[in-house]
Amino acid sequence: MISQKMQDALNGQVKAEFYSAYLYLSMASYFESIDLPGAANWMRVQFQEEQAHALKFVDYIIERDGRAVLEAFDNPQSEWDSVLDAFQGAYAHEQKVTALINGLVDMARAESDHAAEIFLQWFVNEQVEEEASVKAIIQQLKMIEGSGNGMFLVDRELTARIFTPPAVAT
Ligand code: FEO
């Protein structure tokens, strides 16, 4: 059993992860609108990853005999100034998610909820990866400085990303 406080916080994270999925699908749609199928693919994979993250939290709450509650969230942003602007938005968003995960770890420690702390470690590591992968794309976009040829190559590279579901076991 988890505490009510922890359950509420984990449900808040379910919402944050689903919101992330929505935001990245919105970015995918933006990239499609400016004819960048590779960047759109990359964001669609991100969308799938975020849904998997949300489900991981839902499953964990249920496993701990809690109640997963779904909450509404605001409309995601739908327009960006450029490809770089969108990826910078994704990076800033991931930094916010990292802060949320760290806050959950702090709560688990304060409550001596060792199971929750161990469960959250997967997300601590995942956030390192998430921030690094977006940062790498931002560096590439900065390097090409808006060149069409460069963008063509970066976009082609982003086409290769495929979704790999995270392990079910927590
Ligand atoms: Fe689920 Fe991108 O954090």
Side-chain angles (χ1 to χ4, degrees):
M1 194 75 189
I2 42 176
S3 72
Q4 185 65 46
K5 189 178 167 193
M6 180 60 75
Q7 177 175 301
D8 291 346
L10 293 174
N11 274 318
Q13 194 62 32
V14 170
K15 175 180 169 180
E17 300 290 346
F18 274 127
Y19 176 78
S20 302
Y22 227 51
L23 176 65
Y24 294 140
L25 187 58
S26 182
M27 286 184 183
S29 173
Y30 164 71
F31 290 139
E32 293 285 6
S33 78
I34 56 171
D35 298 322
L36 292 174
N41 170 68
W42 197 93
M43 281 299 170
R44 269 181 188 250
V45 172
Q46 197 66 15
F47 161 72
Q48 289 174 291
E49 282 206 352
E50 298 301 351
Q51 289 183 101
H53 293 171
L55 285 177
K56 232 171 146 65
F57 277 101
V58 167
D59 289 343
Y60 177 75
I61 293 166
I62 293 168
E63 205 176 358
R64 294 290 307 277
D65 207 17
R67 178 81 160 83
V69 179
L70 300 178
E71 298 166 4
F73 43 73
D74 294 335
N75 292 347
Q77 188 174 339
S78 57
E79 294 295 338
W80 287 268
D81 292 338
S82 63
V83 188
L84 180 60
D85 182 41
F87 274 99
Q88 281 175 326
Y91 184 64
H93 183 71
E94 285 307 322
Q95 287 180 308
K96 278 187 210 157
V97 174
T98 298
L100 291 173
I101 297 291
N102 289 340
L104 290 172
V105 173
D106 289 343
M107 186 184 290
R109 284 188 184 153
E111 293 194 0
S112 298
D113 186 339
H114 303 294
E117 192 178 341
I118 290 168
F119 165 73
L120 289 164
Q121 285 312 306
W122 186 90
F123 286 93
V124 171
N125 292 326
E126 178 70 2
Q127 283 311 119
V128 172
E129 220 180 285
E130 294 258 289
E131 286 191 28
S133 62
V134 181
K135 197 67 195 274
I137 296 168
I138 289 172
Q139 304 291 31
Q140 286 187 344
L141 291 171
K142 282 185 176 168
M143 258 186 263
I144 64 171
E145 293 176 329
S147 126
N149 285 350
M151 193 60 242
F152 176 79
L153 293 174
V154 171
D155 193 61
R156 197 167 64 179
E157 201 178 302
L158 297 177
T159 308
R161 190 183 188 197
I162 52 166
F163 174 61
T164 309
V168 174
T170 51

